[in-house]
């Protein structure tokens, strides 16, 4: 069997068609994304409670590795808000305060995340992410956005305040209010005001200055860079570090060299579950972004290969001393709008970040932490979307319950508990709904061969025949429900001689459901009623043929419900027959 290397190394596919024009477009996009990514990387490292340079380290090797293994042409990989929050929360639960040990824990988290994502990709287990429904993800991201924004208020105020949940954070901020540093507060509020205004007001201003709309839009997204330059210059000019304004301070030049995670099995065990949650959340966010941009260019991505690419990216981040990474929406938007055509744009961005780490870090000494906090707050508030509550309330109470519970638990108990609650409630509600499947008694629509619910349509029926359409796969959780439904229906009507189970929506029948069908067949036979089935799908029929059920059923298995009604209504008198598949 020939190994298809392009499948595992997509660079071998798009790299063959790389041209000079593509190179130019990728380089332009890389320059723009690099400018945007530097303050973001610093900010998200701050969000995780780590030294600022860790975010820069996480923005080099992952981009290069994604360019080799990734299938999205526009996705930009690096630290993102939600993943950084989850990383910080996981490290916080370890009870360590030494910065070096915290960095070591982040490196371990990135390594574990990489290993898990890689394993999921190799074994094609990306479907596990489906257990996080869109409403649950929306609720979690909304709650996380609130937590992130509130957590950054301590940097806006220039105070020390902790807490992992919303009540803890608010209480800590309240007690710390008297210690507010007003220079820091002024800088933070000014940065917030500029960044909020810049989201809508900067682009029109740049267009008036002569920039084309597309370039003005891209330049407007680099607004945080302007805030960084202005506030850094202000603090340096007036030496406000002497007024206790918290600043980034010394950022080491260059890279720390290759780092292996610590092999503390106890720490690994503590971080395994948070790493798995982080991996799945990051994968879902990344794939959603990648699919959005791929659709715009009529391209496709491979989710299983994306798992491998993200796994390798996290390995790269771990070995270079960084924190966990995934595909980010905001930087991917800039990358896409700037004209990036291939993942090589990410590799060029990595070169730009690398040059910044080597030569520009001394310029960031006076960068106030309040500016980074403002950057985070403005970025994450766009993630907060309470409209999902209104949408789900009007459409599905089960989805509303999942969203509301996820938001409430995340805010009150923390991010890990919120994800667990969302997944648990989603699975529990799914089991509840499938345990009580929609079952309808149907009749024939006059003049057609179609059968519809007798309660919704004007249909013709035969008093001696009851046709029950089952709208769910049959398994252990709902098998007894079907038994009770059939028995309750037939005992009320002495005229019934035939029961037909119509199964167009049944995709599976497990062993428990098979035993229930056998019990229904046996009990109906004792009551003088014949059991038939219709419209069984091929794979389900194949499985039934491996059992004795088709030999024991008292009636027939019909290819269509119309054929069943035509034969049963024309029969002179109902007599039990051996099963015969049409």
């Amino acid at each position: 069997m020939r190994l298809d290397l392009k499948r595992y190394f997509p660079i071998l596919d798009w790299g063959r068609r790389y041209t000079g024009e593509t190179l130019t477009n990728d380089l332009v996009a890389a320059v723009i994304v690099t400018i945007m990514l530097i303050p973001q990387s610093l900010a998200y490292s701050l969000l995780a409670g780590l030294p600022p340079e860790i975010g820069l380290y996480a923005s080099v090797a992952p981009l290069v590795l994604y360019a080799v293994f990734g299938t999205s042409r526009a996705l930009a990989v690096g630290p993102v808000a939600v993943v950084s929050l989850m990383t910080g929360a996981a490290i916080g639960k370890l009870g360590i305060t030494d910065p070096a040990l915290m960095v070591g824990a982040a490196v371990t988290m990135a390594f574990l995340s990489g290993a898990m994502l890689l394993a999921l990709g190799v074994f094609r287990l990306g479907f596990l992410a489906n257990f996080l429904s869109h409403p649950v993800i929306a609720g979690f991201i909304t709650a996380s956005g609130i937590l992130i924004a509130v957590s950054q208020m301590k940097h806006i105020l220039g105070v020390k305040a902790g807490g992992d949940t919303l009540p803890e954070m608010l209480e800590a901020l309240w007690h710390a209010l008297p210690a507010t540093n007003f220079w820091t507060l002024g800088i933070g509020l000014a940065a917030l005001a500029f960044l909020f205004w810049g989201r809508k007001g900067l682009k029109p201003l740049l267009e008036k200055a002569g920039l084309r709309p597309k370039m003005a839009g891209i330049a407007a997204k680099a607004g945080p860079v302007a805030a960084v330059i202005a506030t850094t210059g202000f603090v340096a000019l007036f030496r406000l570090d002497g007024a206790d304004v918290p600043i980034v301070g010394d950022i080491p030049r260059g890279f720390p060299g290759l780092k292996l995670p610590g092999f503390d099995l106890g720490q690994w065990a503590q971080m395994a579950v948070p790493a798995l949650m982080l991996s799945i959340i990051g994968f879902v966010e990344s794939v959603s972004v990648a699919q959005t941009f791929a659709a715009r260019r009529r391209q496709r991505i491979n989710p299983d290969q994306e798992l491998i690419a993200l796994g390798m990216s996290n390995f790269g981040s771990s070995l270079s001393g960084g924190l966990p990474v995934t595909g980010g929406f905001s930087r991917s938007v800039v990358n896409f709008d700037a004209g990036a055509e291939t993942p090589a744009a990410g590799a060029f961005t990595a070169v730009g970040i690398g040059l910044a780490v080597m030569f520009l870090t001394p310029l960031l000494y006076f960068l106030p932490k309040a500016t980074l906090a403002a950057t985070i707050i403005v970025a994450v508030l766009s993630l907060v979307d309470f409209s999902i509550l209104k949408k789900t309330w009007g459409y599905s109470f089960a989805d509303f319950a999942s969203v509301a519970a996820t938001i409430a638990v995340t805010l009150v108990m923390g991010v890990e508990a919120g994800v667990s609650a969302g997944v648990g409630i989603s699975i529990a509600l799914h089991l509840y709904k499938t345990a009580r499947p929609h079952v309808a008694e149907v009749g024939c629509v006059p003049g057609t061969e179609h059968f519809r619910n007798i309660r919704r349509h004007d249909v013709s029926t035969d008093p001696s025949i009851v046709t029950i359409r089952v709208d769910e796969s049959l398994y252990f959780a709902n098998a007894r429900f079907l038994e009770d439904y059939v028995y309750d229906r037939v005992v009320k009507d002495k005229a019934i001689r035939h029961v037909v189970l119509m199964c167009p929506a049944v995709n599976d029948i497990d062993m428990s459901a098979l035993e229930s069908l056998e019990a229904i067949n046996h009990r109906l036979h004792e009551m003088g009623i014949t059991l038939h089935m219709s419209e069984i799908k091929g794979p389900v029929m194949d499985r039934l043929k491996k059992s004795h059920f088709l030999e024991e059923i008292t009636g027939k298995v019909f290819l269509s419900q119309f054929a069943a009604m035509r034969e049963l209504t024309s029969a002179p008198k109902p007599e039990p027959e051996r099963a015969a598949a049409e």
Side-chain angles (χ1 to χ4, degrees):
M1 185 175 64
R2 186 178 177 183
L3 181 64
D4 184 9
L5 290 177
K6 291 186 213 175
R7 176 179 169 189
Y8 298 101
F9 298 92
I11 190 174
L12 298 177
D13 180 28
W14 57 262
R16 291 184 309 156
R17 299 185 295 274
Y18 207 74
T19 65
E21 182 182 355
T22 304
L23 172 63
T24 301
N25 292 335
D26 284 346
L27 283 172
V28 171
V31 170
I32 294 170
V33 175
T34 299
I35 294 170
M36 172 188 177
L37 195 53
I38 291 173
Q40 270 198 357
S41 299
L42 296 168
Y44 292 144
S45 185
L46 180 73
L47 173 59
L50 301 170
E53 65 269 16
I54 303 302
L56 294 174
Y57 300 159
S59 301
V60 179
L63 288 166
V64 176
L65 288 166
Y66 185 83
V68 175
F69 295 97
T71 60
S72 171
R73 304 295 178 91
L75 189 70
V77 173
V80 300
V82 174
V83 169
S84 296
L85 173 68
M86 296 180 73
T87 300
I91 294 173
K93 290 192 175 181
L94 297 176
I96 54 179
T97 56
D98 181 50
L101 294 178
M102 293 176 69
V103 170
V107 167
T108 300
M109 177 74 86
F111 185 86
L112 287 173
S113 178
M116 291 173 179
L117 288 165
L118 191 61
L120 291 172
V122 169
F123 294 104
R124 300 189 178 186
L125 298 177
F127 69 88
L128 292 175
N130 295 335
F131 286 106
L132 285 171
S133 66
H134 173 71
V136 167
I137 288 290
F140 173 73
I141 290 178
T142 291
S144 296
I146 296 171
L147 286 178
I148 292 169
V150 174
S151 73
Q152 296 308 295
M153 289 305 299
K154 63 186 178 185
H155 297 298
I156 299 293
L157 297 172
V159 298
K160 293 183 178 180
D164 296 320
T165 66
L166 185 61
E168 291 174 355
M169 291 178 188
L170 292 176
E171 183 181 4
L173 286 172
W174 176 258
H175 290 302
L177 273 178
T180 297
N181 183 307
F182 289 98
W183 279 112
T184 301
L185 178 62
I187 292 169
L189 292 179
L192 279 172
F194 171 75
L195 292 173
F196 274 120
W197 169 80
R199 294 174 72 90
K200 293 184 178 180
L202 189 54
K203 180 182 177 181
L205 186 65
L206 293 173
E207 287 178 358
K208 289 180 181 178
L211 281 181
R212 294 179 180 178
K214 182 177 180 180
M215 288 304 300
I218 294 172
K221 289 183 173 66
V225 177
V228 166
I229 294 172
T231 55
T232 301
F234 182 76
V235 172
L237 179 64
F238 293 99
R239 298 297 310 206
L240 294 180
D241 54 318
D244 294 326
V245 172
I247 58 174
V248 168
D250 284 315
I251 299 178
R253 276 191 181 188
F255 293 91
L258 293 179
K259 265 190 174 182
L260 288 174
F263 290 94
D264 183 341
L265 293 182
Q267 187 182 88
W268 281 40
Q270 284 181 278
M271 302 185 80
V273 173
L276 179 61
M277 291 182 177
L278 179 151
S279 300
I280 294 177
I281 289 287
F283 170 64
V284 171
E285 179 178 355
S286 181
V287 167
S288 298
V289 174
Q291 287 176 334
T292 298
F293 293 120
R296 291 186 188 179
R297 289 181 177 169
R298 297 193 176 184
Q299 298 167 345
R300 294 190 65 186
I301 66 163
N302 182 335
D304 289 322
Q305 182 61 29
E306 285 296 295
L307 281 166
I308 293 174
L310 290 174
M312 294 303 296
S313 297
N314 276 282
F315 274 143
S317 182
S318 175
L319 294 175
S320 57
L323 69 160
V325 298
T326 193
F329 181 73
S330 58
R331 68 176 65 99
S332 296
V333 169
V334 174
N335 199 38
F336 182 88
D337 289 344
E341 294 190 28
T342 72
F348 298 143
T349 300
V351 173
I353 298 291
L355 292 173
V357 173
M358 295 293 293
F359 302 109
L360 300 181
T361 51
L363 300 177
L364 299 172
Y365 180 88
F366 289 103
L367 172 60
K369 291 184 178 181
T371 301
L372 296 179
T375 301
I376 295 173
I377 291 172
V378 173
V380 300
L381 285 182
S382 64
L383 303 176
V384 177
D385 178 19
F386 285 111
S387 68
I388 190 67
L389 290 169
K390 181 180 179 181
K391 293 175 185 175
T392 52
W393 174 263
Y395 185 75
S396 167
F397 178 76
D399 286 332
F400 171 79
S402 298
V403 175
T406 302
I407 292 175
V409 174
T410 301
L411 292 177
V412 176
M413 299 182 66
V415 290
E416 291 177 23
V419 176
S420 301
V423 174
I425 291 172
S426 293
I427 294 175
L429 289 171
H430 173 72
L431 290 175
Y432 176 78
K433 287 189 290 186
T434 56
R436 301 179 61 83
H438 182 262
V439 177
E441 186 175 336
V442 300
C444 186
V445 178
T448 74
E449 297 183 7
H450 299 293
F451 287 77
R452 294 292 185 269
N453 194 328
I454 62 173
R455 296 184 178 180
R456 293 176 176 269
H457 301 273
D458 185 13
V459 294
S460 61
T461 59
D462 187 309
S464 67
I465 303 171
V466 170
T467 299
I468 298 172
R469 190 189 67 214
V470 184
D471 294 335
E472 186 67 64
S473 292
L474 297 174
Y475 72 119
F476 63 90
N478 60 24
R480 188 58 184 269
F481 175 84
L482 180 63
E483 281 189 60
D484 293 340
Y485 185 94
V486 172
Y487 298 153
D488 289 343
R489 178 63 183 87
V490 298
V491 297
K492 298 176 182 178
D493 195 337
K494 303 300 182 183
I496 296 174
R497 292 293 176 265
H498 299 279
V499 170
V500 184
L501 293 182
M502 185 179 172
C503 306
V506 177
N507 295 315
D508 186 37
I509 297 177
D510 74 357
M511 194 64 196
S512 297
L514 177 62
E515 291 175 355
S516 288
L517 291 176
E518 291 172 343
I520 292 171
N521 180 56
H522 178 71
R523 189 163 177 180
L524 290 181
H525 180 64
E526 290 180 340
M527 300 168 66
I529 300 174
T530 307
L531 175 66
H532 308 272
M533 299 183 76
S534 71
E535 303 190 12
I536 298 178
K537 292 184 175 180
V540 179
M541 193 67 176
D542 291 341
R543 181 171 289 185
L544 290 178
K545 287 178 180 177
K546 296 178 182 179
S547 71
H548 297 291
F549 177 70
L550 295 179
E551 298 173 7
E552 297 171 356
I553 189 172
T554 55
K556 289 185 176 182
V557 178
F558 294 93
L559 184 63
S560 71
Q561 181 57 33
F562 185 76
M565 288 298 294
R566 183 174 56 190
E567 179 170 329
L568 296 177
T569 54
S570 63
K573 66 176 183 177
E575 292 181 0
E577 298 177 32
R578 309 302 289 177
E582 293 189 358

